[in-house]
Amino acid sequence: MLLELLPPPALCVKVSIGIIVRNEAEAIGPLLESVAQLKFAEPWELIIVDGHSTDGTQEVIAQFQAAHPELTIRLVAETGPGSHGNARNNVIDAAAGELIAFTDADCVVATDWLSALVESLERERAADPAVVAVGGIRTPIESDEWKERTLNALLATKLGSGGSAGFVAQASRFVDSVGNYNAIYVGEALREQRYLPLRFGEDFELNRRLNQAGYKIVLSPRPVVWHRQEGSFAAFAKQLYWYGRGQANVYRQTGHVRWFAPVVSLFWLGVLLGWLAAFAWWPLVVVYLGVIAIYLLAVVASVLQVYRATRDWRSLVSLAIYPLAHFCYGYGFLRGLFAFTKKP
């Protein structure tokens, strides 16, 4: 099908909702239907940037467009190097709204999601004009699949997500970053700063840059987005590897990184190589074993949190998933850090 490549006509809309997709035919349907149910009094538009999908994603979107002629929906072909950051810039270029909101294809939004984002942003800006973005919490979607429930519960722990804003509820009002699966920005700020063409971590990098420029970002509990986590441990491990690679690319281009990435990487280097130093000087054996013991205690405590959340004895498999996830994330970070290629 023919995708839109030219600049959009001038529209009078309050908010542009951006969704970036690539081969999301199986996931995007529920999200689109939830967007169609949004209750928002002012005009808004939906911009979907497709990264050259080959699985029928474009056809699913076209069917949705035909079923909802009352909505302003534009399907735009991604241009430039394929990456999450580049696709989000395509949303910015196509957006007519003064505000730009983002969510992801594997999410479902609440009917008041958009109004909650807009109201929160406008209230915060009235109190402090330096606020240019508001983000919300990632709420796991209800699932009958025990693996998906386990992974969702694991990510909701501080050890599972590194205390990332949006995954773990925080008391802090101002944060350094919000995930673009549930966020809204002042359009002018995005057009000024724009995303780097990163495959992963593009939202973290942009948010840190906004903070450096003197802007502020707020985390709010009001905007509700339900997130679907793929129920495969192998896919989860691969996902964590690429998240680690993404943090390495952010660091190589900007010098900034989430504390979680180097800490996890150094821990696993210590586990894998520390025994050599311990044998060379025996007092280090105590340190080596002590660090591992502290980590295992933290894992056990987090596993109990997962079990309390799921009430399913099978979730105790997270006792092995935590080390696997941390190893893959740390390996991805180190692999990306020392990669010879500079491709994001």
Side-chain angles (χ1 to χ4, degrees):
M1 63 176 295
L2 180 63
L3 302 186
E4 183 178 346
L5 293 173
L6 298 176
L11 299 173
C12 183
V13 296
K14 176 77 172 182
V15 186
S16 298
I17 301 173
I19 303 170
I20 62 174
V21 299
R22 184 177 186 276
N23 293 334
E24 298 284 0
E26 294 185 5
I28 197 170
L31 169 64
L32 294 177
E33 290 302 328
S34 70
V35 170
Q37 300 302 316
L38 283 172
K39 298 186 184 302
F40 187 66
E42 301 184 66
W44 57 272
E45 64 175 349
L46 175 62
I47 299 171
I48 305 171
V49 174
D50 179 70
H52 311 291
S53 296
T54 58
D55 69 340
T57 296
Q58 297 170 18
E59 287 72 17
V60 173
I61 297 169
Q63 292 172 7
F64 178 75
Q65 287 176 300
H68 294 278
E70 76 283 3
L71 300 180
T72 302
I73 307 167
R74 297 209 309 279
L75 178 59
V76 181
E78 182 180 358
T79 58
S83 68
H84 287 180
N86 184 70
R88 295 197 191 280
N89 284 335
N90 289 164
V91 171
I92 296 171
D93 294 336
E98 61 180 89
L99 306 177
I100 301 176
F102 285 104
T103 189
D104 286 342
D106 56 356
C107 295
V108 172
V109 300
T111 56
D112 66 343
W113 169 71
L114 190 57
S115 60
L117 280 175
V118 172
E119 290 168 8
S120 296
L121 180 59
E122 291 182 339
R123 182 177 62 254
E124 293 289 348
R125 284 181 57 76
D128 186 348
V131 174
V132 295
V134 168
I137 302 296
R138 167 195 176 276
T139 303
I141 200 165
E142 291 187 9
S143 173
D144 295 328
E145 171 55 51
W146 74 271
K147 291 182 181 179
E148 183 177 4
R149 293 198 307 273
T150 296
L151 292 177
N152 275 323
L154 183 149
L155 286 170
T157 65
K158 290 186 177 180
L159 194 64
S161 65
S164 176
F167 281 81
V168 179
Q170 298 185 2
S172 174
R173 174 182 167 210
F174 296 109
V175 293
D176 62 354
S177 183
V178 287
N180 280 183
Y181 45 78
N182 186 2
I184 191 168
Y185 294 84
V186 174
E188 289 183 7
L190 286 185
R191 294 181 179 99
E192 170 193 318
Q193 296 292 330
R194 299 179 67 81
Y195 293 84
L196 291 185
L198 297 170
R199 182 176 178 183
F200 294 106
E202 79 291 345
D203 48 359
F204 169 80
E205 189 283 325
L206 171 78
N207 292 327
R208 286 297 299 268
R209 196 154 22 95
L210 287 172
N211 277 303
Q212 285 184 319
Y215 297 120
K216 296 180 180 179
I217 300 171
V218 170
L219 181 68
S220 170
R222 286 193 57 209
V224 175
V225 160
W226 292 281
H227 179 263
R228 189 181 307 279
Q229 176 65 48
E230 186 174 357
S232 163
F233 295 146
F236 180 66
K238 184 177 180 180
Q239 182 183 47
L240 267 292
Y241 167 81
W242 282 110
Y243 282 162
R245 286 290 295 259
Q247 279 296 308
N249 287 329
V250 169
Y251 178 76
R252 290 172 63 183
Q253 295 206 27
T254 69
H256 296 291
V257 68
R258 286 190 65 222
W259 67 269
F260 192 61
V263 167
V264 168
S265 303
L266 290 174
F267 169 76
W268 273 107
L269 277 179
V271 169
L272 297 175
L273 302 178
W275 63 274
L276 295 174
F279 275 114
W281 190 44
W282 70 265
L284 289 178
V285 173
V286 177
V287 176
Y288 178 73
L289 295 178
V291 170
I292 293 177
I294 292 172
Y295 174 75
L296 291 178
L297 286 173
V299 168
V300 170
S302 298
V303 169
L304 291 177
Q305 285 183 264
V306 172
Y307 177 74
R308 283 196 296 269
T310 62
R311 295 299 178 182
D312 188 334
W313 64 268
R314 291 172 295 185
S315 68
L316 297 179
V317 72
S318 55
L319 188 65
I321 300 301
Y322 274 107
L324 174 64
H326 293 154
F327 175 81
C328 291
Y329 187 86
Y331 176 62
F333 178 72
L334 292 175
R335 181 77 181 272
L337 201 61
F338 298 105
F340 290 105
T341 176
K342 291 189 178 297
K343 183 177 180 181

